[in-house]
Amino acid sequence: MDRFFRKIIPGAFGKIFLLLLVFGSNAAFSEEYAGAFLGATGEGYGLSLAKDEAGLPAISYFNSKTKELWVSVFNGSVWTKHRIATEIDPSAATVLVYHDSKLYLSYYDLAAKKLKIVQQNGSSWNAAHNRSAEGQGAELSAVSCGNSLNVLSYDEASKSLVLLRGKDTSWSLERTVVSGSARARMHSLSCSKESRVVLVYFDEARKKVRLVRESANGSYLEEDLPQLRSGAGRSPRIVSAANGEIHAAYTQASLLDGSGRGLFYARRDAGGFWVQSVVTESYAGGSVAIELNSESLPVLVSSYKKSGVNGFGGIYYAELSSSGLWHEAVLGAPGQGEAGVYNTSFVQAERSAAGYLYFVYAAGASSGSSLSPEQAIHLIAAKG
């Protein structure tokens, strides 16, 4: 386990701290981390992260106490909060993404049994699309790819995973990815170098991770990801590289179930061959995020499952070096230590053109296997 150090410094985010991760000589990052404490008590559910063309972050989240849905946008010096909806079940998922320099938010309205997509227009948010969807316990994925925004959602009523494509107020059903017994509630989207959609989902019935690729003629090609552990495949995440490679990560534990641990990585080269590795079986579980560093090598962030602790207790960070070794660290909430970080099932990561890797998570006090109402949001920015 790599060592890490922490000290308090001032900065543009407000409450700022610096983490110095001591990696090996092959580490791609400059080992400098700045973080921020965002939001108020009860905020942090349904967490999603996006970045604009300048690499500045925006975050969507629910407040569990007020049942409000919010988006906070950072302009380089201050955060501006936008209230999107009220009387919303905070256990639903959200996904935030930029397309054509416009910010879109997709979220499940569980009471209305709707998938709703809204678009920012200055200080207001306009309805872009509504679709019937029972999204209890389901994730949302979105990616800007080519001329369209793509949104992947699951409907529990029809047991269907569907891909929507569009922008502004013009949307169409691109395809039904899966329907029936698969129950593909966990999934992830990316965009290939040819501006085609690539996605992964976890088939809960077969306990397999499936890869779906859009071909040049518009058809979709499917295959199983090879698995190093039988049944592993929860929280599958995917990112496409400029060289045509596809990088994927997944875990063995569900969101708040500590029955299994382990973080797994798979890479598909441009020729279709897979390379796999077990990143760790000691610490990671819950949600997973994957991004590429400045050398197009994978960086993984996941919930941290400490042995003997009920619930998740921190953030696990792993970066693949050019020598093929994983450099890892376990991060706690600023000023709280590992045991103080909870509800890290909402881990997200984004890499900006300016060279920053952002990852965001919610932290608070643990209350058995239940989500704590005392959590708040933390943002880490790594300079590569």
Side-chain angles (χ1 to χ4, degrees):
M1 179 65 64
D2 294 292
R3 299 173 294 137
F4 69 91
F5 303 89
R6 177 187 301 147
K7 73 175 183 178
I8 305 296
I9 63 170
F13 287 113
K15 293 185 178 179
I16 303 291
F17 62 93
L18 178 69
L19 298 178
L20 298 179
L21 300 184
V22 183
F23 290 144
S25 59
N26 291 320
F29 279 112
S30 61
E31 303 168 1
E32 181 176 312
Y33 287 72
F37 174 87
L38 310 172
T41 297
E43 296 180 346
Y45 298 89
L47 195 60
S48 183
L49 171 68
K51 65 182 186 303
D52 64 12
E53 293 175 349
L56 297 174
I59 300 171
S60 59
Y61 53 90
F62 290 105
N63 186 305
S64 63
K65 290 187 173 182
T66 63
K67 295 184 178 180
E68 295 171 326
L69 174 59
W70 291 87
V71 171
S72 289
V73 181
F74 188 60
N75 67 1
S77 58
V78 297
W79 290 88
T80 301
K81 294 179 65 175
H82 304 263
R83 186 171 62 181
I84 307 301
T86 59
E87 296 303 318
I88 298 292
D89 190 327
S91 65
T94 74
V95 63
L96 196 63
V97 64
Y98 281 94
H99 177 70
D100 285 345
S101 301
K102 300 174 183 177
L103 186 56
Y104 290 81
L105 172 68
S106 303
Y107 65 96
Y108 291 117
D109 185 334
L110 299 183
K113 297 182 179 180
K114 294 282 188 180
L115 166 68
K116 296 184 176 181
I117 304 175
V118 295
Q119 175 189 327
Q120 185 183 15
N121 182 16
S123 60
S124 63
W125 291 75
N126 301 330
H129 184 72
N130 286 336
R131 179 182 177 82
S132 296
E134 294 185 22
Q136 183 69 52
E139 297 177 334
L140 278 170
S141 304
V143 65
S144 176
C145 194
N147 296 322
S148 300
L149 178 60
N150 297 265
V151 178
L152 190 64
S153 65
Y154 181 78
D155 176 27
E156 183 65 41
S158 61
K159 302 292 190 294
S160 297
L161 182 65
V162 297
L163 179 64
L164 297 174
R165 179 167 289 173
K167 61 181 179 179
D168 298 325
T169 59
S170 177
W171 293 83
S172 62
L173 174 61
E174 171 66 11
R175 77 184 304 255
T176 300
V177 180
V178 64
S179 61
S181 61
R183 293 200 78 202
R185 296 177 299 171
M186 306 177 196
H187 48 79
S188 178
L189 270 176
S190 188
C191 185
S192 72
K193 68 174 185 176
E194 298 88 6
S195 295
R196 300 175 195 145
V197 166
V198 183
L199 65 94
V200 290
Y201 67 89
F202 181 52
D203 183 332
E204 296 179 53
R206 297 173 58 238
K207 298 190 182 303
K208 295 284 188 179
V209 181
R210 296 281 288 170
L211 173 71
V212 182
R213 296 180 294 118
E214 184 180 12
S215 67
N217 63 9
S219 62
Y220 287 81
L221 309 174
E222 300 192 32
E223 61 184 283
D224 286 338
L225 264 72
Q227 291 168 284
L228 293 174
R229 294 291 180 273
S230 176
R234 295 179 180 272
S235 191
R237 297 294 181 260
I238 190 173
V239 63
S240 299
N243 61 2
E245 292 184 335
I246 297 172
H247 301 261
Y250 56 90
T251 185
Q252 189 162 333
S254 61
L255 291 180
L256 291 175
D257 176 14
S259 62
R261 291 178 303 198
L263 181 60
F264 307 92
Y265 166 77
R267 185 184 78 245
R268 185 184 189 276
D269 66 21
F273 295 97
W274 287 95
V275 177
Q276 310 171 73
S277 68
V278 177
V279 183
T280 180
E281 290 186 288
S282 300
Y283 300 99
S287 182
V288 178
I290 182 170
E291 267 294 342
L292 302 178
N293 65 18
S294 56
E295 297 180 358
S296 295
L297 295 171
V299 178
L300 309 182
V301 185
S302 81
S303 306
Y304 164 63
K305 178 65 174 71
K306 189 174 183 179
S307 178
V309 174
N310 190 12
F312 294 105
I315 297 295
Y316 174 83
Y317 177 99
E319 179 183 14
L320 185 64
S321 69
S322 57
S323 65
L325 299 176
W326 288 98
H327 298 282
E328 57 182 3
V330 172
L331 313 179
Q336 295 178 349
E338 292 169 16
V341 184
Y342 191 66
N343 195 20
T344 51
S345 55
F346 303 126
V347 178
Q348 297 284 323
E350 285 280 357
R351 183 164 185 84
S352 75
Y356 283 97
L357 174 77
Y358 296 106
F359 58 94
V360 65
Y361 61 93
S366 170
S367 177
S369 60
S370 301
L371 300 180
S372 166
E374 303 302 322
Q375 64 187 16
I377 301 168
H378 296 263
L379 176 70
I380 305 294
K383 179 65 175 179

